[in-house]
Amino acid sequence: MPSITHPSRFHNLSDAALADEIGRIDAILKAAEAELKALKDEFKARGLATAEGAAFTVTASEQIAGRLDAKAVRAFLGEAASRFETAVVSTVIRIKAARPSLAAAA
């Protein structure tokens, strides 16, 4: 039985429109992440452990995470460290403005 593929919700966008939409959403996301970080920093600066609003409850707790210092491991093991490395292939999408904005040009 043949496989049926359904078009994505963006199938009708031209390549140029797709690029513009990615850039637009990326800008919204970056602004939202910056705002969220500022809000979380304020929460921490107030020393809050919990705060309950009309729609959300926010809590803070400390956690400890262990991280492997790959640079130190390579320095310690030398060439032997390469036996434990694996290649990972990924696609990286970079976004930049096609033209400088008027605000940046002023």
Side-chain angles (χ1 to χ4, degrees), residues 33-46:
E33 286 174 339
E35 184 73 2
L36 180 59
K37 183 184 180 316
L39 289 164
K40 286 180 175 181
D41 288 347
E42 178 65 21
F43 192 90
K44 289 186 264 187
R46 292 184 186 190

Side-chain angles (χ1 to χ4, degrees), residues 47-70:
L48 297 172
T50 186
E52 188 171 338
F56 297 95
T57 299
V58 177
T59 59
S61 60
E62 290 187 358
Q63 65 182 28
I64 298 173
R67 302 279 194 269
L68 181 65
D69 184 346

